[in-house]
Amino acid sequence: MRLLACFLSTIFVVSAYKSYDGYQVITSRTVTLRDLSEPRRLENDPEYIFWARPAVGRPLHVMTSQISIGKLWSELEHLNLAPSVYIEDVGPVLAKADEKRQKLMDIPLNRAVSFDRYMTLQEILDYTAEVVQNYPLHSSLLELGTTYEGNPLRAVKVSNGPGKRGIFLDAGTHAREHITHPLALKAIFELVENYDQNKALVDLFDWYILPVANPDGYNYTFNEDRFWRKNRSPNVGSDCVGTDPNRNYDINWGIDGDANPCSEAYRGVAAFSEAESSAIGSALRDIENNGGLALYMSTHCYGTFLIYPWGFTYEFPVTYDELAKAANLTATAIEAVNGTRFVIGSSANVYFPAVGASMDYAYAVGNNNTYSYTWELPAGGEFGFAPLPEDILPIVSETWEGIKALANYVNTQVLK
Ligand SMILES: [Zn+2]
């Protein structure tokens, strides 16, 4: 009977998963600074799913269904962006990745952390509970809030004494960006379980790590739609579900941004209308008011970018030189590991203008003194936002080296 139930649930999961048969990913020539504004219009079309968003020095990767391929192709030709096929058919690629994932799911984790495969939401929640239980002297859980579907926004706080400035790192704001969650787990593992080796970092700062910043969406990517990006809260008057939490922060919200609930980057009905952004915003203010928010990092993928404010304007922030200097030495530390080269710059200028992002909000909360960054981690290739399992550990390990270098540098600086 149990076997039958298991079999039936497997069938259910497979049949419920959204098919991407016939979807193609179209790429372009390298985007230049002059190209940046035009592809933005395409981003507002819900038919187009941007794997790689318009960014200087990178080609676009845009996924769309068979019906819209012709339209996308002519739009890109019209913009002189030289379209070509990147992935002929996403369906079989996804099936291959899913088959591998299903096999790996049989590996029991015994409540340990794993970098051999992508952990489910429940496994991550179990791990965080377990790790603070095992290391109560320097770690604790912080429940920052509860999502629309009732899932906890659970951070791990790592601290060995009062009076320190804070570092906040979140992962998975965009549900499908699966390589980010293991990075947060790597940080928890190193700071909590590997405390003896990393004690110096905990002597310097209190660390707040939120490994799943969009748990409803993350669950949905495992059970329903691999390419889901937003949260799962419904929208009044629309059949389209979800808001992009990273367009919902109370920082110049409403001066621009996507007001279409069907869009992938929908900003929501009001600033902080969403549980995820509201909870993180509140945590950042608390940290600022209790010792100061020294460093904020929001982790995304993909693109191999390390970007800093502002996102809402092309203007440079007051601490531009410092933010750039710190980003540079971080990129250098990462490159020393495996040669991976991050592009650095202010968000609107090298990546894309975006209003209501957490990075801008954190910078403002810290009175423009916080070192505030968005990471676009290396990923891509045919597996898009979730590199093959064997690539998880190399990516998160090299990035962790960068985070350590960044934290050590920030410790030596108090911005005025
Ligand atoms: Zn993202």
Side-chain angles (χ1 to χ4, degrees):
M1 189 61 198
R2 204 172 148 193
L3 258 184
L4 180 65
C6 180
F7 177 71
L8 286 174
S9 73
T10 306
I11 292 289
F12 174 75
V13 167
V14 170
S15 64
Y17 217 58
K18 179 173 173 174
S19 167
Y20 281 92
D21 288 344
Y23 278 66
Q24 277 193 354
V25 179
I26 308 291
T27 188
S28 72
R29 68 163 166 76
T30 300
V31 171
T32 66
L33 195 58
R34 284 172 61 190
D35 298 321
L36 269 187
S37 59
E38 279 297 324
R40 183 177 198 187
R41 190 171 47 77
L42 304 184
E43 274 212 306
N44 293 337
D45 189 330
E47 292 292 311
Y48 305 146
I49 297 171
F50 275 73
W51 283 23
R53 302 179 54 224
V56 174
R58 296 278 193 271
L60 300 174
H61 292 156
V62 191
M63 181 173 73
T64 196
S65 67
Q66 227 158 14
I67 304 163
S68 303
I69 291 168
K71 191 176 76 165
L72 173 62
W73 194 276
S74 48
E75 301 241 41
L76 294 176
E77 272 187 336
H78 177 69
L79 296 174
N80 201 17
L81 283 168
S84 60
V85 174
Y86 185 62
I87 298 176
E88 186 73 40
D89 188 348
V90 175
V93 174
L94 206 58
K96 201 167 112 190
D98 202 44
E99 191 187 331
K100 195 161 185 170
R101 181 167 70 88
Q102 293 292 347
K103 275 188 196 148
L104 288 169
M105 288 299 283
D106 296 339
I107 302 170
L109 296 185
N110 297 324
R111 295 199 158 203
V113 71
S114 174
F115 302 104
D116 296 331
R117 65 165 168 85
Y118 295 99
M119 294 168 74
T120 64
L121 173 64
Q122 194 54 54
E123 286 170 341
I124 293 174
L125 293 174
D126 287 348
Y127 170 65
T128 52
E130 183 80 4
V131 82
V132 302
Q133 206 170 51
N134 289 341
Y135 301 90
L137 289 181
H138 58 268
S139 69
S140 56
L141 290 184
L142 267 187
E143 305 288 355
L144 304 182
T146 307
T147 63
Y148 173 75
E149 291 182 353
N151 287 309
L153 291 158
R154 177 180 292 172
V156 171
K157 179 180 178 182
V158 191
S159 172
N160 62 10
K164 288 169 192 163
R165 293 189 294 159
I167 292 178
F168 192 102
L169 182 147
D170 58 53
T173 293
H174 293 139
R176 65 193 177 197
E177 295 170 6
H178 282 196
I179 188 62
T180 63
H181 308 82
L183 174 63
L185 294 170
K186 171 76 172 170
I188 294 170
F189 173 80
E190 292 292 343
L191 294 169
V192 181
E193 294 199 67
N194 213 3
Y195 178 75
D196 289 346
Q197 273 190 36
N198 292 301
K199 180 176 173 298
L201 292 166
V202 188
D203 289 339
L204 301 177
F205 296 104
D206 286 345
W207 293 72
Y208 302 83
I209 298 154
L210 176 61
V212 194
N214 176 5
D216 298 354
Y218 190 60
N219 255 344
Y220 200 72
T221 64
F222 274 78
N223 302 323
E224 303 282 341
D225 180 352
R226 177 61 195 87
F227 292 109
W228 190 257
R229 166 183 161 102
K230 300 187 283 184
N231 70 8
R232 292 294 304 162
S233 62
N235 294 308
V236 177
S238 172
D239 288 338
C240 293
V241 170
T243 289
D244 181 346
N246 208 32
R247 299 291 181 279
N248 190 246
Y249 281 77
D250 190 8
I251 175 81
N252 302 107
W253 187 94
I255 63 166
D256 199 356
D258 204 325
N260 174 5
C262 296
S263 160
E264 291 243 287
Y266 175 49
R267 67 189 182 188
V269 290
F272 283 153
S273 58
E274 304 309 299
E276 297 83 1
S277 45
S278 167
I280 294 171
S282 169
L284 296 177
R285 293 192 302 276
D286 282 352
I287 296 167
E288 174 62 18
N289 294 332
N290 290 284
L293 179 62
L295 171 61
Y296 171 76
M297 293 173 281
S298 189
T299 60
H300 295 252
C301 77
Y302 58 85
T304 322
F305 283 88
L306 179 56
I307 53 181
Y308 37 88
W310 297 104
F312 81 96
T313 171
Y314 293 100
E315 309 259 308
F316 290 147
V318 287
T319 60
Y320 178 85
D321 290 347
E322 257 308 306
L323 290 164
K325 188 178 173 189
N328 245 319
L329 69 87
T330 306
T332 303
I334 294 172
E335 193 176 350
V337 181
N338 276 324
T340 303
R341 300 182 80 158
F342 272 76
V343 173
I344 66 161
S346 87
S347 173
N349 288 287
V350 301
Y351 197 58
F352 202 67
V355 178
S358 62
M359 172 191 72
D360 279 3
Y361 183 76
Y363 187 66
V365 160
N367 295 313
N368 300 349
N369 285 333
T370 295
Y371 288 81
S372 187
Y373 295 94
T374 297
W375 291 84
E376 295 284 347
L377 296 178
E382 63 173 351
F383 296 104
F385 306 99
L388 286 171
E390 52 265 38
D391 293 328
I392 297 174
L393 195 55
I395 291 173
V396 302
S397 298
E398 67 182 10
T399 310
W400 173 243
E401 291 305 313
I403 291 173
K404 283 195 292 186
L406 182 55
N408 280 317
Y409 176 76
V410 169
N411 174 56
T412 65
Q413 306 295 313
V414 179
L415 293 176
K416 296 291 173 203

